[in-house]
Amino acid sequence: MAAAFKKFLPMFDRVLVERFAAELKTKGGIMIPDKSAGKVLEATVVAVGPGNRDKSGSIVPTSVKTGDRVLLPEYGGTKVVLEDKDYFLFRDSDILGKFE
């Protein structure tokens, strides 16, 4: 996984995330069809850009770092395929929160 990100670095305040896989089985063991499974809103940050510049020209770093578990909006983001795996790019300001 790390080899793909040596070749790809998000620009400015962009954050590259990998969504968690949707649960396809309930706690009771009942299988959930793919169409009925909800969109997963949690993800792991795999790469971050250096940040955006403020009015004075200094760089404001992103609020998340690699490895953080974050909450995403239901819609948005840009799909990126690296080494046959789906990732999503979001702006730092689009991320709703991070889990401690």
Side-chain angles (χ1 to χ4, degrees), residues 61-84:
T62 57
S63 58
V64 294
K65 63 185 184 311
T66 303
D68 283 348
R69 196 170 133 221
V70 295
L71 183 66
L72 303 173
E74 189 171 355
Y75 300 103
T78 303
K79 184 177 176 180
V80 178
V81 179
L82 296 171
E83 295 185 356
D84 298 328

Side-chain angles (χ1 to χ4, degrees), residues 37-60:
K39 198 172 201 181
V40 179
L41 302 179
E42 293 181 35
T44 301
V45 175
V46 292
V48 295
N52 245 346
R53 294 195 182 271
D54 62 8
K55 291 181 182 180
S56 66
S58 38
I59 293 180
V60 178

Side-chain angles (χ1 to χ4, degrees), residues 8 10-19 39-45 47-49 62 64 70-80 87-96:
F8 183 84
M11 299 296 293
F12 306 112
D13 66 338
R14 304 287 194 306
V15 178
L16 186 70
V17 299
E18 180 179 3
R19 288 184 191 257
K39 198 172 201 181
V40 179
L41 302 179
E42 293 181 35
T44 301
V45 175
V48 295
T62 57
V64 294
V70 295
L71 183 66
L72 303 173
E74 189 171 355
Y75 300 103
T78 303
K79 184 177 176 180
V80 178
Y87 299 95
F88 294 86
L89 268 175
F90 286 89
R91 287 187 183 274
D92 185 43
S93 59
D94 290 341
I95 294 175
L96 303 175

